[in-house]
Amino acid sequence: MSTITFDRRALLGLGAGAAVAALAWRMAGEGDAAAVAATPAPFKLTDAEWRKRLSPEAYKVLRQAATEFPNTSPLNAEHRKGLFVCAGCALPLFSSTRKFDSGTGWPSFWDHLPHAIGERSDASLGEERTEVHCARCAGHLGHVFNDGPQPTGLRYCMNGVAMAFKPA
């Protein structure tokens, strides 16, 4: 039988961090820029746990970097105020105030919430693209392109199955 020991300072630090995050979330209202105040703690599961947690479609996108077919996500037509969160770990990713209709068939945003995403180079289709993944669970969300609207000029083209919507 193995024994798990906890470092008291680390445990207190985690508790304090969670309290600050919860307070920031509550004070943020709609959850725009202040919703994610600090880099989120990693969220890791085994492959079996991910398969149990996610639908088969969400698993393929989030854990295997697949792409859903265009115009299949109900989130493409979501226009209420609220937050788009990671379907894998519920980290707030995008505010509805930054969503726009790109005409591509995927939910698109001109900016993300602070500390919500990570980016890495992706040459899987023989061309250089920038992949976007969840900062907490590293789940594949989609790609970012430089053909979006102002003020950023970016288009975060996301797989709807990789997200859930939380109305304000």
Side-chain angles (χ1 to χ4, degrees), residues 123-149:
S124 63
L125 293 180
E127 64 180 274
E128 195 65 32
R129 301 182 299 167
T130 302
E131 178 193 358
V132 175
H133 60 269
C134 174
R136 180 185 288 155
C137 72
H140 172 78
L141 301 169
H143 292 85
V144 60
F145 302 95
N146 61 3
D147 59 359

Side-chain angles (χ1 to χ4, degrees), residues 8-98:
R8 187 175 176 179
R9 287 183 187 150
L11 194 57
L12 288 172
L14 284 172
V20 169
L23 181 60
W25 176 257
R26 181 150 173 90
M27 291 175 64
E30 179 184 329
D32 208 359
V36 183
T39 303
F43 184 92
K44 296 182 180 183
L45 298 175
T46 66
D47 188 63
E49 290 170 323
W50 280 120
R51 286 181 186 275
K52 185 176 180 181
R53 182 181 187 92
L54 301 170
S55 70
E57 296 81 13
Y59 177 84
K60 288 176 189 168
V61 170
L62 284 164
R63 308 317 307 164
Q64 298 178 325
T67 300
E68 69 186 350
F69 288 108
N71 298 306
T72 59
S73 174
L75 295 184
N76 210 23
E78 180 58 69
H79 300 294
R80 296 176 291 171
K81 287 187 177 183
L83 293 174
F84 293 84
V85 303
C86 177
C89 69
L91 179 71
L93 303 168
F94 299 95
S95 169
S96 62
T97 61
R98 295 169 185 196

